[in-house]
Structures are given as C-alpha cells and as structure tokens.
Amino acid sequence: MSIESMLEKLSLGDESSLVEKVKADGVVKSGLADSIDALVAKCASKNEEDALAGLAAAKALAEGAPGAEAFTKQCLSACIQQQVSKSKAVSAAAKDTAMSICQNVTPFAMKSLLPQIFAQLPVEKKWQSRVLALECLATFNKTAPRQLGNALPEIVPEVTACMWDTKKQVKTASTAAMKSACDVIGNKDIDHMTNKILTAITKPKEVPEIMHAMAGVTFVQSVESPALAMVVPLLLRGLREKTIATKRQSAVIIDNMSKLVDNPLDAAPFLPLLLPALETNAESIADPEAREVTERAVGQLKRLKALADKALSVRGDTSKLGDEFKKSLGIESTPAVDVVVAHASTIATCMMDLGFMEDMQWTKNVSVCFKDFVDSAKANEVVETVRVEAEKMLVVPEEDDDEDDAEELCNCQFTLAYGTKILLHNTKMKLKRGKRYGLLGGNDSGKTTLMRSIANNQVEGFPDVTEVRTVFVEADIQGEQSHLSCIDYVFIDPKIQALNITKEQVVEVLATVGFTEDGKAKPFHAVSTLSGGWRMKLALARAMLQKADILLLDEPTNHLDVINVAWVKNYLNSLTDVTSIIVSHDSGLLNDCCTNILQIENLKLHQFKGNLDEFVKIKPQARAYFSFTESKLKFSFPQPGPIEGVKSKGKALMKMSKCTFTYPVNKTPTLFDISVQVSLSSRVACVGENGAGKSTMIKLLVGEIEPQQGDVWKHPNARIAYVAQHAFHHIESHLNKTPNEYIRWRYANQGEDKESLVKVSMQFSDEELKLQKTPFEIQFTGEDGKVKKIKKVVSELVGGRKTNKSKEYEYEVKYAGSTVDSGEYLPLKTLKKMGWEKAIKAVDLKIAQRAGLYVRPLSTKNVEKHLEDCGLDREFGTHYRMSALSGGQKVKVVLAAAMWNQPHILILDEPTNYLDRESLGALAGAIEDFAGGVVMITHNNEFCSKLCPETWVMDAGHLETKGDADWMLKQDTKIEDQQQITEMTDAAGNVSKVKGQKKKLSKKEEKQLMKKIKSKLKNGEGLDTDEEEFAFEKDLL
C-alpha cells in the first residue's frame, strides 16, 4: 500500500507501519515527500480521530525515521495550533508531538524550525499555542545548546515581546524560554549577568543599577553574536532611560563592546536596533559631554556597519550553499529535491557559523540528507566539494610567525577588557619556559587585569591550571584575614591546602625569607603588624611553596628596601625552569632580571627580546615609563590658604617631642625618643629599611596612634593631608561610589573631613572621661562686678571658638544639665585640665577644614576638575565606581580626596607604589609647585632625591636627621608675599571677591576704629562685617 493511500485511511495504531515503510523505501520512493501535505492536514484536522492519528504518525516519524526530518518538521505548525483544541486528548498529543519534533531534529537544523515557532508568538494568536511555542524554544537548551546560542539574535527579540504580555502563562513561559536561551550564551564573562538582564526586560527601574554592574565586568573573550543578543536589550533600555548618566553609560558600553567584536557580521543584526536609538540621543541629550560620548559611539557603530556591509556574508544565507549543492548533485530540480537541499543548506550554514568544518563532521550531518537521491559515495563526494567551497568563504589570512626553539608553555590569542574599557583586542601571547618577561604599559593599560585574568583562568586559550600551575603574587592582605598569624595566613590559602603542605613546611620556607622569632617579622604575630615590605616577602614565600610553572609578580619590589630588592632579583634569576611575568616601575629590576619585554600598546601585546635597555633602544618613546623628566602628564595640587597667626614658612605646624611608642603585642618599643618638626617649607624624605618604624612614626605624627611617652602637637589651624602606605584602606568601604561621589560624601558636612574624625587620637581615654565628669571650679564676673566661683561640669564643646585679650583661644561650651547652648566660652588651658583636649583638637580641625572649603564649593563639576588635576580622567572620576578602577587610579582618588580641602602639609607614605613613571613625574611636578610642607616615605631614591633636601633616616626605631635640615630657614619667605586668592567661583559660575589676610592694625588705627564703632553703636547705626568682627574681638558687642 502506498503512503498516499495509508494517509487517507490513517487511524491510531497505523503509525508503526508508516515508519517501517519510510525506513524501507526512503522518503521519496515511499511517497512521503509528495504526500507530506496530507499528513500536515491530518495533524491540523478538527476531527478528533484524524487529528490523533496524524499527530501519532508525525511523532513516530520524528522519533523513528530521522532521514525524513526535512519533511516531518513541516507538521510543527499544525501541532502547536492544535494546542487550543477542545479535545484534551488532541491537545496533549499535539504537545507531545511538537516536543518530539524539536527534541529529535538534527541540532544543526534547529534554525529551520524557528519560522514555524515564531509564527505562533504574535499576541493575536491563542495563548495556549504561544505557551507551547515558547516551551519548544526552551527545549533546545538541552538538545542543541550551541546552535541555540547561534540563533539568539533572531530569538531574543521575539521572546522579549512576550515577556511583557498581560497573560500570566505567556509571561512565565517566555521568561523560562529566555532564561534557557541565555544559559547557552558561551561567554563566561557575562554568564553571571543573566538574571540581571532578564530583570531589566521586565523591571525598567532596575536598569541604572544593572548598567553599573555591567560596567564592572572584566571581558576576556571576544564578543560574539550570542553575547550581543543577550546584552543588546539591556543597552537599548539604557539608551531609553530618562537619566542622562544611564544614557551615557550605555553609549560607553556600546562604543567599547563594538571594539571587541572580531567579526563585523556578529554585530550586523543589532546595528539597525542600536544605531537609531544612539543617533536620537546624540541629537537630544542636553549635556554636551554626554552628547560627545554618544556621538563617539555612533561613529564607532557606523564604522562597524561599513565593515559588515563590505564583508561577504555567509551567516544564515542558505541560498549560496543551496546553489553549490544543486550544482554538485547534478540532478533535476523537483519539489522534494528543493526541500532536501534547503534543509541541508540550513545544517551546513549553521556548521559554518559555529566553526564545524571537519570533513567527518559534514559527512555525518549533511551526507545523510541525500541518500534518497544518490548513493552514499556520491553523497560524500558532493558534500566534500561544497565543504571545500564553504571553507574558502571563511578563509582568514594568517600572520607570518617567527618561531624559536625554546619550549612553549603558552601560545594563545585573546581579547581583554575591564568594564567598558578595552585593554587588549584579539592579540597573541607566547610564553616560553624559564624566560622572565617584563610587562610594560601606561597606568590603566591593563597590566594587572591581564595578570589577574591569567591567574583566574579567564584568558581564552591559556593552558588550564591543571596543566600549567600559575601563581599570582601580590602584597595586598584582605581585611578579614588581617588577624591571622603569618604562618596561618599562608597555611589557610586554598591553593596551599590543595597541595597538602604541612605547617612545618610553611614555617621552614618563611624562615628562609627572614620570618624568625628573633627577627623583625615574627612568624606567629598577626599579618596586620607587618610593614609593606614584609607583606611582599610573605606573598613571595607563599608563591615559593606552590612550586609554580608561571609566576605573576605585580610590583614585587614595592615597599622593599635596597637589601630586599637585591634578594628578590637573586631569587628570580635563580628560577631557571619557572617563567615569570613581572609588572614593575623599578627599571633596575627589569634590567637585571628580564630576558624579554611585553608591551601593551594600541590594544595589542608586543613582544621584544632582551632587557629594558635593549627595549628602549628599539622604542625610545618607552623611556617615559621610567623617567620623570619625560612625563607629559601634569598634576596640579590646590595651594594651601593662609594660617592665622603664622607669618613665616619656617614656623613649625606639627611637632613630635621625645616620643616613644610600643605596639600592644610587642615587648620592645618600635620607636625610641623621636623628635621632629614640620613647617610649610618642609621637604622631607623619610627612609630606612623595612620594619624600621617609618610608617609608625608618621601615624604618630598625624594622630592615628598615640605615644606612650612624649608629646605630639599640631597647629590648631593647620590642615593635614595623609595618604597611608596601604592607601586603599581609605576607600575600602566606598567601592560602590564613584570617586566624585566619594569626595562629595567625605566633605559634605560643611567641609568637615569624615575620615579625620575616626582617629585614635580623637577617642577619649577612660582617664579623660573621668576628668570630664568631675566638677571644676570656674571663676566669672557677676553683674555686680564681683568675681564669683562656682563648680560646673562641661557636657560638650559646641563648636565656637574666639580669641581673648591674651591672644589665646577660648571655646564655646555647654554645661551639664543645661538644655540650651550657654553661649559661654572657657579658655584652652582650663578645658585641657577638665579632660577636653581631644575635643578642642576636633573643634580646631573642623574650623580649619571649613576654612579650606570656602574657595571651592563642593559641586560635581568642581570635584571633577579637581580629580582631573590629580591625574584621574573625568570618565573614571565621575562615571565609574571605584570597584572598577585599577590600583594606579585608586591611588589618584585617595590623593585627590586628601588634597580637596587645600592642606598645609601633605604626608605621603610610599606614594610611588602603584603609580607608573608618567604619573610619578606628574606627582613630582605637583609637589615642586606646592606651597605647603611635604613629608614622604619612599624607597624610590630617584624620586626623593629630586624633591627633598632633608632626610630622616630611621634605623631600628632610632631617628637620625641628614642633609640640609636648615634649608627651610634659609628660604624663609614671608607668607604675606605669597600670591593670595582674590576671587572664588561657585557651582553656578558666579564670581565673588575673597578677602585676603587682614592687615594688622597699629595701636593708633585700633583706637580710631574703636571710637568709630562706639559712635555707631550709640547712634544705632549698622556695622559692616570687618567692624562687627573687631567689635566681637574687643567685647564691644
């Protein structure tokens, strides 16, 4: 019986004989090819019996006759439509059959089912059919994951529309389909963003926050169409947001992601969506800077579009391969041949898109399509002919490569970005065993990001950690581990644990680098007690234990003195079988250790043989990485304002007198009998070996810790900026803020620095609290003119301060039991006896800080300009969260924040760490031009010798002063000679005059002014500001 007659009389139970007939005779001979419309009609029948029979036959063919799939798949539309049948049996059978067709189709042919599925998704279709169509899409997640990823550009727009549907069932099914589609994205950089992107589709209010998360993603893979399909809906939403900041961020991400697209054809489907939205924003955004960024993104997309238009597109274009198949087959065209050729072309184009170009892969997946028309040998020959033609369409010319004989550890091609900034694009990296590579590049070029990505196994093509053991050495200690002893800190490291290393082995290796009970660094003391140099040695010891194939060293000589730098050089040079990649600003290290140089330039990684000197001969412009004088970058620090009562630049603003300090865990003092002073003209370099006590002395000087013996004094009106050795601790709690937001938060309370109020020296001791609660005898003159005595307790200092007739400060107080401010002032000496000395310092600090705020209001634009003056581009300063910044950029943020309130003294602990030579040159220039005092701890001799005529040498807790300590007295210029600021500009651009320092009045001028004020007061006339200040000062009011 022919298939035609079998289909006419088809009933439930006939399906197995139908399958056997097709398997025995083939699709064409059996007549299925010509009768497929009859089967489709049966499946779509309103008659329950016919429908059930047709659906059962289609299901049986899908499962039992894979060679017939080019025809069987045509039943899918009818199955989905039958989902709305009033008969529950038909509805259930329709769902089973639809799922069976989707699950059994050749994975590479899944794209050919999409037109039938998409046809059932429009809102006018019945919701039951729409839900089944979406469930069919979701099933490809398991049966054809890579092919589903390839089809995402077509799928995402269709499913997105359904996610807004009012019908709950459609909404749920579409969200599930989108999730399963996004699970196969194949880009592990953004896998973790899946849920956030789904949220962005249904909850637009979340878009700004999700855009921030997107900006912090590190890309190490080239961006292909599946990843773009996932991200584009989010970017489109970002472009349509009301806030300019989110529109701008979307434009930046689009601009940068488009640079990561290797094949312009990957981006082609999305350009018609993104370009019009970007162009609209470029015309309508009011903010000129955001408009400029958007215009830049438009230009980049237009360039990409031009490349895509020129490219010979074979993506999804079955017609080109269809013609090749027909030509090679050499048989007459019939409807059946056309169906099979179209089906084979879909499979072949999908294989091309995904890079499946092996002859065996094509034989397996494509040859079977033609077995009804030609014999097996001819089918294989036809497919091989077409495959060769297809390969020609995909040919990419290879670059010539220069090989040497050394053993190759790695040879890979990859792309790297950090957030929205592309660092390396489609670049090659080769590493040989035993070589030492110096990695060079400007600040923010991506040196540390590349090393961290290698360590995290995120670089495409880099050997897996199981093949090549890679260890990243960095000295930063996580806050939550700082209480651990040095031994435990190393021992609990997961990588050490995985190697089954014992504690005894840890103790042994730490001892080899100097961690001994009688040494400066004790192995069983907490890591928080270590200086920066010892932290680096601890990190190196941990790396030594791991017996690495590749060592990744980020600034290994940071914080290290000369002796330890020599030790690191010897250690690296002794590793003949270990490959090292070294990021360093120390030119001596790169010259003495490196066998090769890797340079990041123009988004590519370039390799050169030889050390740094050899490299500079080839690339003289690279000298700027290591020379201060070559620096083109310029920093500019705000000049300190005048200080009341200080006329000479040589007058001390900070003093330490005979200070001795011991850490709680130690028996012997860290510092012995230290006396120093700092003035506006100070230029001091503090040097000494690791652990000698340099940072401890600076902490005493700025009030972060208190001495057990001796005194520390600061001028009440002086403002101090302090950048700590472990600089990032200033911003650790604020990484979700942009640098601009952080500075505005820090100084928001009328210019008070929130960071300065948490120092130990501002916390009251138990003794001081006891004194404050003890009644103190206070003398005052009553209304009758008699001197009276009364015992009172001060509850707080209100914040006011004035100068009395003896030229001493008095502070406004509030007494215990009083509900209002008393308006009364007590002298400094009295308040010190009452235990309020630290509160006095806090009042002085607030008044000094407010004085620094006057000239520059705390506006976004002013802070942005200030950050640029300190070397941080506005893109990173205002639009990036600090969590997404590099080490060098974070140091600039900390420096800018410390300099905002125009300090008189700048104290820098290891400022040269994390900054490249260009930034160091700019910092040196800014320090030279700075009119205040500077104290710096540094191991960088070139840096301190250029700037500092005076040196404090710290040796095991004892201080010796060297150099020209009296130089400041020699150039002791009068502060009045300094150029005064005469104008200030507020956030709105209004300019107002700023009063300079008051001229000191002679006794004769004072008498005349007093007479004038008394006369005005008697006649009830108003006083001007200067007269009013004078009247308060002389107690006339």
Side-chain angles (χ1 to χ4, degrees), residues 36 39-40 43 54-66 68-80 93-107 109-114 116-117 132 136-137 139-140 143-144 343:
I36 193 65
L39 181 58
V40 172
C43 292
L55 292 166
K59 184 172 187 286
L61 284 167
E63 293 170 356
E69 70 178 19
F71 299 92
T72 313
K73 68 182 183 183
Q74 296 176 34
C75 298
L76 183 60
S77 283
C79 298
I80 296 173
K95 182 170 183 175
D96 284 348
T97 306
M99 285 299 181
S100 192
I101 290 171
C102 293
Q103 286 163 3
N104 289 288
V105 76
T106 303
M110 62 79 61
K111 250 189 179 182
S112 65
L113 300 180
L114 295 182
Q116 294 182 73
I117 293 173
L132 179 55
C136 287
L137 281 177
T139 200
F140 296 133
T143 60
H343 185 68

Side-chain angles (χ1 to χ4, degrees), residues 962-973:
K962 286 188 178 179
D964 188 3
D966 298 326
W967 76 287
M968 60 180 82
L969 301 173
K970 293 175 190 169
Q971 57 159 22
D972 184 15
T973 53

Side-chain angles (χ1 to χ4, degrees), residues 15 29 94 144 146 208 246 254 286 435 575 652 671 683 710 743 927:
E15 56 271 12
K29 237 182 237 180
R146 289 198 62 183
T246 308
I254 290 168
K435 303 280 187 188
L575 301 172
L671 300 174
R683 286 288 187 281
I743 291 176
I927 289 172

Side-chain angles (χ1 to χ4, degrees), residues 19-55:
V19 170
E20 289 307 318
K21 174 87 172 155
V22 172
K23 282 170 81 173
D25 298 343
V27 183
V28 178
K29 237 182 237 180
S30 68
L32 180 65
D34 295 326
S35 305
I36 193 65
D37 291 343
L39 181 58
V40 172
K42 283 278 183 188
C43 292
S45 176
K46 299 284 184 196
N47 180 291
E48 185 175 353
E49 284 181 22
D50 285 352
L52 288 171
L55 292 166

Side-chain angles (χ1 to χ4, degrees), residues 377-438:
K378 174 69 175 171
N380 291 346
E381 186 190 319
V382 167
V383 169
E384 179 57 17
T385 306
V386 175
R387 188 191 68 79
V388 171
E389 287 302 315
E391 271 191 328
K392 288 177 187 172
M393 298 175 189
L394 297 176
V395 163
V396 178
E398 277 291 317
E399 294 174 23
D400 288 337
D401 216 350
D402 189 19
E403 279 290 335
D404 64 23
D405 297 331
E407 183 196 344
E408 197 169 83
L409 270 185
C410 153
N411 184 358
C412 58
Q413 189 164 340
F414 63 98
T415 292
L416 178 73
Y418 193 83
T420 57
K421 184 177 171 68
I422 291 98
L423 303 170
L424 290 165
H425 180 56
N426 213 15
T427 193
K428 286 187 177 179
M429 177 167 67
K430 285 186 184 178
L431 301 176
K432 308 282 170 62
R433 186 176 288 282
K435 303 280 187 188
R436 293 177 293 281
Y437 298 88

Side-chain angles (χ1 to χ4, degrees), residues 114-144:
L114 295 182
Q116 294 182 73
I117 293 173
F118 292 162
Q120 304 305 319
L121 291 180
V123 71
E124 57 270 15
K125 298 288 182 181
K126 300 281 187 187
W127 70 264
Q128 294 94 332
S129 296
R130 298 173 73 200
V131 168
L132 179 55
L134 290 162
E135 286 171 352
C136 287
L137 281 177
T139 200
F140 296 133
N141 170 294
K142 294 182 178 64
T143 60

Side-chain angles (χ1 to χ4, degrees), residues 690-765:
N690 295 129
K694 304 182 296 297
S695 295
T696 305
M697 183 184 77
I698 294 299
K699 285 178 182 174
L700 275 180
L701 189 62
V702 298
E704 291 225 337
I705 50 178
E706 288 186 296
Q708 282 87 5
Q709 294 171 34
D711 298 308
V712 179
W713 173 86
K714 176 178 87 70
H715 191 287
N717 293 328
R719 293 185 295 277
I720 314 298
Y722 170 50
V723 178
Q725 183 180 47
H726 309 298
F728 303 157
H729 90 256
H730 294 284
I731 56 172
E732 269 170 7
S733 310
H734 307 283
L735 294 177
N736 63 341
K737 294 185 175 80
T738 66
N740 199 310
E741 287 167 349
Y742 167 67
I743 291 176
R744 285 185 286 124
W745 164 84
R746 184 165 159 179
Y747 292 98
N749 191 16
Q750 295 183 308
E752 287 173 25
D753 182 357
K754 292 189 178 81
E755 298 261 337
S756 64
L757 303 177
V758 293
K759 291 177 182 168
V760 175
S761 56
M762 293 296 187
Q763 315 295 319
F764 295 122
S765 65

Side-chain angles (χ1 to χ4, degrees), residues 113 170 335 383 395 413 453 484 544 683 730 739 833 876 885 903:
L113 300 180
V170 175
V383 169
V395 163
Q413 189 164 340
S453 296
L484 297 171
M544 287 162 73
R683 286 288 187 281
H730 294 284
K833 288 175 188 171
F876 298 104
L885 300 184

